[in-house]
Amino acid sequence: MLSLFPLAARTGPPLAFCLGAGVIAVIFGLGFAFDVRGMSTRQAARMRERVREARLRRGSLAEPVYPVSPEARMRMSGGFIAFAGVVLCAAGFALLHLG
């Protein structure tokens, strides 16, 4: 069986899932949390544009009030995603040592 994680191939699918999902979550979470290459800024700009267009279709010309800016919300969610990735990686390593 060809696998990116040779140890995961021996111990089973839960370990491969935990390690793979954890690494992916850490990469994407850090990208959003630290705004690598402006990912969260571009995403927030797209969100603002969609909201503006939806409000114009309904006939509202007032700008929406955001309690937290979309950029800050994206960076906070990126931090949570990165933390969840670290937890998944730790669970994968725990499965490796248990199984």
Side-chain angles (χ1 to χ4, degrees), residues 7-97:
L7 292 175
R10 285 187 300 164
T11 55
L15 176 63
F17 173 77
C18 284
L19 289 177
V23 169
I24 290 170
V26 167
I27 290 169
F28 279 110
L30 290 177
F32 279 115
F34 293 110
D35 199 16
V36 176
R37 293 186 175 172
M39 287 189 318
S40 59
T41 304
R42 283 193 310 269
Q43 180 74 14
R46 285 193 297 266
M47 288 168 50
R48 274 197 183 108
E49 186 63 25
R50 282 194 309 261
V51 168
R52 188 181 71 76
E53 288 175 0
R55 292 177 68 84
L56 287 176
R57 279 194 303 267
R58 286 182 287 169
S60 175
L61 297 177
E63 286 295 317
V65 177
Y66 296 106
V68 177
S69 72
E71 290 89 356
R73 190 175 71 216
M74 295 294 292
R75 290 179 183 153
M76 284 188 299
S77 64
F80 291 132
I81 292 170
F83 178 72
V86 170
V87 169
L88 278 171
C89 286
F93 285 118
L95 284 172
L96 176 67
H97 291 293

